[in-house]
Amino acid sequence: MSVSRHPVALRLEQQVGGATRLLATVMGLPLIDGIFPALIIAGALTTTAGDPSVTGILQTGLLIFGGSATVAVILAEMDGTRRDQFKAVLGVGAILLPIAAIEAALAPTIESLLTMAVFERFAAVVILAVAAKTASARVGEWLPRPAVIVAAGLVASVNLSAVDVAVTTEPELVGRAVAAAGVGVGFALLVTLLGPWLRAVVDIDRFRFGSAVALGVLPFSIFGYFGDAPIALAVLGVTILLAFDPEGEGIGAGDSTPAVADGGPDEGPNDAATSPESADDDADAADTEDGREGEEDEKKSIPENVSNYITTEKERAPWL
């Protein structure tokens, strides 16, 4: 990416290109790679008693569909007016919500074919892999794709002795899945609404690393290792606080014009020609040309002047 350098978003940008398509790919990747249906089957949207889990819905929506990659794409890559960005996010949401509903409708049938004690472990591993990919592009190169981990989990946990070809759906589960996807879309809309302000006060790298930590603790929160405490949401909240940096450069500060960024508004390439160093160099060159006494003096003066000019320009214009 041109600004944020988010590992996941950068890899996807090289493949799909375009801010809207990139946003659709980032937010739709959990549906494509099987992460979202794996979480549904593992019980991420329900409590241990089988009731709807508001915490699980929020965690899944914010960390799986929202997350740092979505924030990075909206703040660093999306151009146009706020209305145009809103339309782009709503268009992506119009695709995500029906697909999430379809996958949730098929989840009970898939669950009936699996040994859940085995599959839940793979579901935890795939979330940890995504967290590692988010934190470091170099680590991500050594890890398999989430789809490979999910496929391996399906193969390892399939129970052919309990095959049930009847398609069963749970409307409540479908509603929870749509709600989780809706939380992600709503989060993206909120980032779009606050985009001009967030670009000036958010350190995107801090938010990325914090989101990776929140993803890392999400499996433990889903499978009840911390009870009903929303640990992942707590980590995400701390991440937002730590990423708030009103005195920082903000997102896109490095794209400003070179003269303003490095030399101030009153200095630039044209001013370099009239600077004291350049004036001295021009005077020395004129004196050498008018008063040169021989070939030896000329060979000595010209390299010295060129060397001084280059050194001075490097000090004044490091962006060149």
Side-chain angles (χ1 to χ4, degrees):
M1 296 173 63
S2 61
V3 178
S4 66
R5 293 295 174 185
H6 190 287
V8 177
L10 175 60
R11 174 174 58 84
L12 294 176
E13 182 188 34
Q14 295 171 347
Q15 297 175 359
V16 300
T20 302
R21 284 185 293 175
L22 178 59
L23 180 65
T25 305
V26 166
M27 298 188 69
L29 199 60
L31 301 173
I32 299 172
D33 280 350
I35 299 174
F36 183 62
L39 291 177
I40 295 177
I41 295 173
L45 306 181
T46 58
T47 62
T48 54
D51 298 324
S53 174
V54 177
T55 300
I57 292 173
L58 291 176
Q59 290 179 153
T60 303
L62 293 176
L63 294 175
I64 301 301
F65 290 106
S68 58
T70 299
V71 174
V73 171
I74 294 176
L75 296 184
E77 295 300 323
M78 295 193 71
D79 299 324
T81 63
R82 191 176 302 177
R83 180 188 296 270
D84 295 335
Q85 296 177 10
F86 260 83
K87 290 180 179 179
V89 174
L90 290 175
V92 172
I95 299 173
L96 291 183
L97 297 183
I99 298 178
I102 294 173
E103 292 188 352
L106 298 176
T109 302
I110 300 174
E111 183 179 356
S112 66
L113 306 177
L114 305 177
T115 303
M116 291 309 301
V118 177
F119 185 78
E120 286 178 353
R121 293 182 174 88
F122 281 89
V125 170
V126 73
I127 298 175
L128 293 175
V130 173
K133 288 175 176 289
T134 301
S136 173
R138 180 171 298 179
V139 173
E141 293 176 355
W142 293 92
L143 297 176
R145 291 178 57 87
V148 175
I149 300 176
V150 173
L154 291 174
V155 173
S157 60
V158 65
N159 184 9
L160 297 179
S161 62
V163 174
D164 183 8
V165 295
V167 177
T168 58
T169 59
E170 297 181 10
E172 292 184 357
L173 184 60
V174 174
R176 298 169 202 161
V178 172
V183 168
V185 175
F187 175 73
L189 289 173
L190 180 62
V191 174
T192 302
L193 176 65
L194 302 178
W197 176 69
L198 291 176
R199 289 183 182 93
V201 300
V202 168
D203 187 322
I204 193 64
D205 288 327
R206 293 182 189 176
F207 186 78
R208 173 168 59 88
F209 282 108
S211 297
V213 176
L215 274 174
V217 302
L218 180 60
F220 303 99
S221 180
I222 290 175
F223 300 124
Y225 290 100
F226 301 120
D228 294 331
I231 300 299
L233 287 180
V235 174
L236 183 61
V238 174
T239 296
I240 294 174
L241 292 177
L242 294 178
F244 183 73
D245 186 15
E247 297 181 357
E249 295 182 355
I251 300 175
D255 291 342
S256 57
T257 58
V260 175
D262 296 294
D266 295 329
E267 293 185 15
N270 295 333
D271 294 330
T274 59
S275 63
E277 293 86 351
S278 300
D280 292 341
D281 292 340
D282 294 340
D284 292 342
D287 293 339
T288 302
E289 182 176 358
D290 294 339
R292 59 188 176 182
E293 297 177 354
E295 182 179 357
E296 182 177 356
D297 292 335
E298 182 181 1
K299 290 181 179 179
K300 180 178 179 181
S301 61
I302 293 177
E304 286 180 352
N305 289 333
V306 172
S307 176
N308 292 335
Y309 174 78
I310 294 177
T311 302
T312 302
E313 285 299 310
K314 283 184 177 180
E315 292 175 354
R316 285 179 51 78
W319 60 87
L320 294 178

